[in-house]
Amino acid sequence: MLTLSGLKLEELEKLMDEFGATKFRAKQIHNWIYTKSVSTIDEMTNLSKDFREELKQKAVVTETKIKVKQVSSDGTIKYLIEYPDGECVETVLMRFDNRANLTACVSSQVGCAVNCSFCATGKRGFIRNLTYAEIIEQVLTIQRDTGLKVTNVVFMGQGEPLLNLKNVLKALEIFNDDFQIGTRRITISTSGIVPKINELAEAELQSTLAISLHAPNHKLRAELMPIENKYPIDELKKALLNYVEKTGRRITVEYILIHGFNDTPEAAKELALLLRDLKCNINLIPYNSVDDTKYKKSTNNDIMQFKYLMEHSGKKVTVRLERGADIDAACGQLRGKVAANE
Ligand code: SAH
Ligand code: SF4
């Protein structure tokens, strides 16, 4: 069976040609998939009944299922989405009060090979890459379920997007052309795959690049992220400077605050020094607890002091609001498995 969602307008036009139907039909179907977010061909009511029956012989809108849906007390919704091969990923919808923005936090892989010590996804190891259709399907699932239109996408779910770059870039193109989500409303977060950052710089990517730095020096970063041994912080910084030069875009530096580990005034000063010549904003992320780790969240006092010191160095600093922690939907808590199966 052919899956219609994930097809671009040109592809739908080609398909309609095979059916002996007009380009206008393709446009109608495109609209049903990406704007009206239907789940079945039967819902495409401006197509004739006979044509719908014919189409149903060959195609379906989607084969993805919502396996579990959880709604947090703050309005965040977490979906466990199941693909036809039985693999699952988590996708989170965040709404921020007094803003019209609806942000989808999407996964790019099932599991993750990078294995950061603080992250639930990493503990699972790498299972497989998602196809671009499977990536965009997450946003369609949200739209179908809520009847709302997603306005922003962040690649901050499970997986390392730069290790599945081809599919991530194709998904970006579809978000742009078919969902009408502007490139600048899309953020890709990476643990720091240096050659791929250089590739994005060459492509003059206009999306926001967020970099999971989490430590001000090699020694501390290596304790958290094994990737530091492959792409050390000095090389990473060079790649980031190059990225800013080539794209003109400001980078977001993500920094998890872990009590007594990387949240001290000394760490803040070292970080300020490291970032002084990099065009970036800083996003501080209070550590979210994950089973089997020794880390603890920083105290509010330490978070505020760290923020103050970074601001003092001239950077714009935000502290990430914790969303959906009561349903394990906050950063780093995504596993992509049903608890009962574990
Ligand atoms: N693999 C990519 C994108 C997914 S992770 C990356 O690592 O950047 C999205 C963000 O959540 C990253 O900044 C990641 O470091 C952070 N994160 C992971 N585990 C966390 C935890 N336990 N508490 C807070 N943030 C966490
Ligand atoms: Fe992978 Fe990102 Fe988790 Fe690290 S933080 S294990 S790169 S998903």
Side-chain angles (χ1 to χ4, degrees):
M1 262 307 171
L2 177 70
T3 304
L4 296 177
S5 62
L7 294 184
K8 298 184 61 87
L9 187 58
E10 309 83 77
E11 291 167 318
L12 286 169
E13 283 174 353
K14 226 173 124 226
L15 183 70
M16 286 305 104
D17 211 39
E18 287 164 27
F19 276 87
T22 60
K23 282 192 170 165
F24 182 64
R25 290 278 167 273
K27 224 176 161 136
Q28 287 176 312
I29 295 173
H30 187 271
N31 195 35
W32 283 115
I33 296 172
Y34 297 102
T35 309
K36 298 190 176 136
S37 311
V38 296
S39 330
T40 60
I41 290 171
D42 278 330
E43 290 164 81
M44 301 182 178
T45 48
N46 58 6
L47 305 181
S48 76
K49 190 137 194 298
D50 287 350
F51 184 63
R52 276 184 267 155
E53 289 305 323
E54 202 186 325
L55 195 56
K56 272 160 61 183
Q57 301 302 313
K58 295 243 168 70
V60 287
V61 174
T62 177
E63 287 187 294
T64 302
K65 292 194 201 86
I66 297 177
K67 197 155 180 188
V68 183
K69 174 183 173 185
Q70 288 170 279
V71 183
S72 159
S73 53
D74 65 23
T76 300
I77 307 178
K78 181 170 85 170
Y79 298 92
L80 183 70
I81 293 179
E82 186 180 22
Y83 296 112
D85 71 347
E87 289 297 348
C88 297
V89 295
E90 281 166 329
T91 302
V92 179
L93 173 69
M94 296 170 286
R95 316 155 199 240
F96 294 100
D97 292 341
N98 64 42
R99 273 198 248 165
N101 290 354
L102 279 184
T103 301
C105 174
V106 299
S107 297
S108 54
Q109 299 180 315
V110 183
C112 182
V114 181
N115 197 18
C116 304
S117 60
F118 48 79
C119 172
T121 305
K123 308 247 168 286
R124 216 191 140 182
F126 175 71
I127 316 281
R128 70 169 174 87
N129 278 332
L130 294 184
T131 64
Y132 66 85
E134 288 172 331
I135 295 173
I136 66 111
E137 196 63 49
Q138 297 170 53
V139 175
L140 284 177
T141 300
I142 291 176
Q143 296 193 163
R144 287 181 199 124
D145 184 60
T146 60
L148 301 168
K149 196 91 177 58
V150 166
T151 59
N152 296 60
V153 175
V154 295
F155 280 87
M156 292 187 188
Q158 288 157 264
E160 169 47 59
L162 297 200
L163 292 180
N164 186 16
L165 191 55
K166 206 163 142 254
N167 286 312
V168 166
L169 288 180
K170 178 79 180 174
L172 226 65
E173 183 191 318
I174 299 178
F175 284 140
N176 224 249
D177 297 346
D178 302 277
F179 289 76
Q180 306 285 322
I181 299 174
T183 319
R184 285 169 181 247
R185 289 178 169 269
I186 301 175
T187 299
I188 300 179
S189 175
T190 177
S191 57
I193 315 294
V194 168
K196 300 289 173 187
I197 295 174
N198 291 334
E199 229 177 286
L200 290 178
E202 289 309 318
E204 298 187 19
L205 182 81
Q206 286 303 300
S207 304
T208 301
L209 184 69
I211 175 89
S212 292
L213 195 64
H214 307 325
N217 60 46
H218 174 73
K219 191 169 166 287
L220 281 189
R221 194 164 191 264
E223 273 187 53
L224 296 176
M225 307 172 76
I227 194 86
E228 172 65 21
N229 294 316
K230 192 156 186 199
Y231 304 117
I233 203 160
D234 295 347
E235 268 182 49
L236 179 58
K237 189 177 162 194
K238 270 189 219 145
L240 297 179
L241 287 170
N242 174 55
Y243 182 89
V244 171
E245 195 186 305
K246 294 266 161 63
T247 63
R249 303 277 291 149
R250 189 177 295 276
I251 284 173
T252 300
V253 169
E254 299 168 280
Y255 193 98
I256 297 181
L257 286 169
I258 300 172
H259 179 65
F261 178 77
N262 64 355
D263 65 348
T264 57
E266 294 70 43
K269 283 174 198 151
E270 202 179 350
L271 184 66
L273 197 64
L274 178 74
L275 300 179
R276 74 192 182 286
D277 53 350
L278 183 71
K279 191 172 144 190
C280 64
N281 294 329
I282 297 167
N283 193 206
L284 299 175
I285 315 173
Y287 170 72
N288 293 312
S289 69
V290 170
D291 304 346
D292 323 322
T293 65
K294 54 183 190 289
Y295 307 121
K296 284 200 176 60
K297 190 189 289 265
S298 302
T299 63
N300 279 344
N301 235 347
D302 289 344
I303 294 173
M304 285 309 132
Q305 186 179 41
F306 201 94
K307 179 169 188 267
Y308 171 79
L309 288 170
M310 293 313 296
E311 276 169 345
H312 197 68
S313 79
K315 300 291 184 199
K316 190 174 154 224
V317 186
T318 45
V319 178
R320 189 176 291 176
L321 281 177
E322 188 183 71
R323 310 295 297 184
D326 54 341
I327 53 169
D328 277 357
C331 301
Q333 295 183 320
L334 304 183
R335 274 168 212 272
K337 277 170 114 186
V338 192
N341 287 351
E342 286 180 328

